[in-house]
Amino acid sequence: MSFSILKRLPIFSPPFVNVMASSSFYCGVQSKRFLVLAQQMRHYKPPPCSWDDNEERIIEEAAGKFVSQVGFQESVTRVAQNPEKFRSKRAAVLICLFEGDAGDLRVILTKRSSRLSTHSGEVSLPGGKADEGDKDDGDTATREAKEEIGLDPSLVNVITVLEPFLSKHLLRVVPVIGLLNDRKAFKPTPNPAEVDAVFDAPLEMFIKDENRSAEEREWMGEKYLLHFFDYEIENKRYLIWGLTAGILIRAASVVYQRPPAFLEQSPKFKFSGLVHK
């Protein structure tokens, strides 16, 4: 299935991406699903975050990526102010959606290389830390997707960003939602140093209670639920969990405008100072 190319959407920083409202902007869109989604996302506003933008922290994670066993929406955490000033260290992941043969919305995912020293073989979203040359989170996410899986940024129209997530080490990860204009034009070319496989999964799966399990964990004295999604495609099985699962649960909730059919249960963290690895 092929989609006519949308005009490149302007990319803005959080709280949301403001998609142009003029009728001329949408005149070339043949996919009604994408048209409705782009219009819907114009009005999305993430909940307010508890983190003071002037009190951010520099936290490094392995290889500049973010596959983490723990990841929660920033707005559900209680991050105490720190008297010391830290420059912002942002990261972004790309939630790249396309319309499948059955008309469902699907998201592109990767399996990390088995040769990596950390989080090898785990499922993640394309993304990485911001570079100085990146204009915004959309630039970061699409640049990293090109480096990891060969996804040309010109094929992706960024329509919004979600609220930041905090990873295990308090790295601030911004999910960026983009639409893949021409599915057939994307020929995955995984970077073998980082990625073993590129696959896709139905976005709606992450708010359904099928193929899902959960474990109660404890971190820093607070209990939370860790969700696992067991997914099979082309006779290959993938386990999607941790930060990646948390981001996709939120993305699916926003796109489909309904909460997940299960309890999320995020912890109410309270940090009194900088947390080191």
Side-chain angles (χ1 to χ4, degrees), residues 7 23 30-31 50 68 85 166 174 204 243:
K7 288 175 61 179
S23 58
Q30 293 180 354
S31 170
S50 60
S68 177
K85 301 290 183 179
L166 299 181
V174 179
E204 194 174 13
L243 176 63

PDB file of all heavy atoms in Angstrom, residues 7 23 30-31 50 68 85 166 174 204 243:
ATOM      1  N   LYS A   7       2.854  17.271   2.674  1.00  0.00           N
ATOM      2  CA  LYS A   7       3.831  18.335   2.847  1.00  0.00           C
ATOM      3  C   LYS A   7       4.509  18.144   4.186  1.00  0.00           C
ATOM      4  O   LYS A   7       3.915  17.669   5.140  1.00  0.00           O
ATOM      5  CB  LYS A   7       3.150  19.704   2.804  1.00  0.00           C
ATOM      6  CG  LYS A   7       2.675  20.104   1.411  1.00  0.00           C
ATOM      7  CD  LYS A   7       1.918  21.397   1.437  1.00  0.00           C
ATOM      8  CE  LYS A   7       2.760  22.542   1.939  1.00  0.00           C
ATOM      9  NZ  LYS A   7       2.059  23.818   1.943  1.00  0.00           N
ATOM     10  N   SER A  23      -6.819  24.088   4.624  1.00  0.00           N
ATOM     11  CA  SER A  23      -7.295  22.978   3.804  1.00  0.00           C
ATOM     12  C   SER A  23      -6.263  22.591   2.759  1.00  0.00           C
ATOM     13  O   SER A  23      -6.170  21.430   2.362  1.00  0.00           O
ATOM     14  CB  SER A  23      -8.612  23.368   3.117  1.00  0.00           C
ATOM     15  OG  SER A  23      -8.430  24.535   2.327  1.00  0.00           O
ATOM     16  N   GLN A  30      -4.392  11.086   0.687  1.00  0.00           N
ATOM     17  CA  GLN A  30      -5.356  10.112   0.210  1.00  0.00           C
ATOM     18  C   GLN A  30      -5.839   9.194   1.322  1.00  0.00           C
ATOM     19  O   GLN A  30      -6.937   8.673   1.257  1.00  0.00           O
ATOM     20  CB  GLN A  30      -4.729   9.283  -0.914  1.00  0.00           C
ATOM     21  CG  GLN A  30      -4.444  10.097  -2.177  1.00  0.00           C
ATOM     22  CD  GLN A  30      -3.827   9.259  -3.251  1.00  0.00           C
ATOM     23  OE1 GLN A  30      -3.505   8.088  -3.037  1.00  0.00           O
ATOM     24  NE2 GLN A  30      -3.653   9.835  -4.431  1.00  0.00           N
ATOM     25  N   SER A  31      -5.016   8.995   2.339  1.00  0.00           N
ATOM     26  CA  SER A  31      -5.405   8.127   3.429  1.00  0.00           C
ATOM     27  C   SER A  31      -6.260   8.896   4.426  1.00  0.00           C
ATOM     28  O   SER A  31      -5.781   9.800   5.107  1.00  0.00           O
ATOM     29  CB  SER A  31      -4.163   7.581   4.146  1.00  0.00           C
ATOM     30  OG  SER A  31      -4.544   6.923   5.331  1.00  0.00           O
ATOM     31  N   SER A  50       6.184  17.569  36.133  1.00  0.00           N
ATOM     32  CA  SER A  50       6.581  18.006  37.461  1.00  0.00           C
ATOM     33  C   SER A  50       8.010  18.519  37.511  1.00  0.00           C
ATOM     34  O   SER A  50       8.431  19.087  38.495  1.00  0.00           O
ATOM     35  CB  SER A  50       6.434  16.833  38.444  1.00  0.00           C
ATOM     36  OG  SER A  50       7.260  15.759  38.043  1.00  0.00           O
ATOM     37  N   SER A  68      15.451   0.689  28.665  1.00  0.00           N
ATOM     38  CA  SER A  68      15.517   0.675  30.118  1.00  0.00           C
ATOM     39  C   SER A  68      14.422  -0.216  30.668  1.00  0.00           C
ATOM     40  O   SER A  68      13.338  -0.321  30.104  1.00  0.00           O
ATOM     41  CB  SER A  68      15.346   2.097  30.667  1.00  0.00           C
ATOM     42  OG  SER A  68      15.340   2.101  32.082  1.00  0.00           O
ATOM     43  N   LYS A  85      22.388  23.492  39.394  1.00  0.00           N
ATOM     44  CA  LYS A  85      21.869  23.643  38.041  1.00  0.00           C
ATOM     45  C   LYS A  85      22.548  22.631  37.114  1.00  0.00           C
ATOM     46  O   LYS A  85      23.754  22.440  37.173  1.00  0.00           O
ATOM     47  CB  LYS A  85      22.142  25.053  37.510  1.00  0.00           C
ATOM     48  CG  LYS A  85      21.534  26.156  38.346  1.00  0.00           C
ATOM     49  CD  LYS A  85      20.031  26.174  38.227  1.00  0.00           C
ATOM     50  CE  LYS A  85      19.448  27.340  39.019  1.00  0.00           C
ATOM     51  NZ  LYS A  85      17.992  27.398  38.891  1.00  0.00           N
ATOM     52  N   LEU A 166      10.746   9.486  31.929  1.00  0.00           N
ATOM     53  CA  LEU A 166      11.985   9.386  32.681  1.00  0.00           C
ATOM     54  C   LEU A 166      12.411   7.934  32.713  1.00  0.00           C
ATOM     55  O   LEU A 166      11.637   7.066  33.111  1.00  0.00           O
ATOM     56  CB  LEU A 166      11.794   9.902  34.113  1.00  0.00           C
ATOM     57  CG  LEU A 166      11.384  11.367  34.264  1.00  0.00           C
ATOM     58  CD1 LEU A 166      11.266  11.725  35.739  1.00  0.00           C
ATOM     59  CD2 LEU A 166      12.371  12.281  33.567  1.00  0.00           C
ATOM     60  N   VAL A 174      11.877  11.910  24.985  1.00  0.00           N
ATOM     61  CA  VAL A 174      10.681  12.502  24.387  1.00  0.00           C
ATOM     62  C   VAL A 174      10.184  11.616  23.240  1.00  0.00           C
ATOM     63  O   VAL A 174      10.901  11.436  22.245  1.00  0.00           O
ATOM     64  CB  VAL A 174      10.972  13.915  23.851  1.00  0.00           C
ATOM     65  CG1 VAL A 174       9.718  14.511  23.209  1.00  0.00           C
ATOM     66  CG2 VAL A 174      11.476  14.821  24.975  1.00  0.00           C
ATOM     67  N   GLU A 204      -2.444  -0.707  18.386  1.00  0.00           N
ATOM     68  CA  GLU A 204      -3.566  -0.946  19.306  1.00  0.00           C
ATOM     69  C   GLU A 204      -3.275  -2.077  20.291  1.00  0.00           C
ATOM     70  O   GLU A 204      -3.895  -2.149  21.360  1.00  0.00           O
ATOM     71  CB  GLU A 204      -4.830  -1.250  18.502  1.00  0.00           C
ATOM     72  CG  GLU A 204      -6.110  -1.179  19.330  1.00  0.00           C
ATOM     73  CD  GLU A 204      -7.359  -1.344  18.494  1.00  0.00           C
ATOM     74  OE1 GLU A 204      -7.245  -1.757  17.310  1.00  0.00           O
ATOM     75  OE2 GLU A 204      -8.463  -1.061  19.002  1.00  0.00           O
ATOM     76  N   LEU A 243      10.733   0.523  29.238  1.00  0.00           N
ATOM     77  CA  LEU A 243      10.498   1.870  28.740  1.00  0.00           C
ATOM     78  C   LEU A 243       9.779   1.862  27.399  1.00  0.00           C
ATOM     79  O   LEU A 243       8.851   2.652  27.174  1.00  0.00           O
ATOM     80  CB  LEU A 243      11.830   2.614  28.628  1.00  0.00           C
ATOM     81  CG  LEU A 243      11.801   4.014  28.021  1.00  0.00           C
ATOM     82  CD1 LEU A 243      10.975   4.959  28.881  1.00  0.00           C
ATOM     83  CD2 LEU A 243      13.209   4.555  27.855  1.00  0.00           C
TER      84      LEU A 243
END
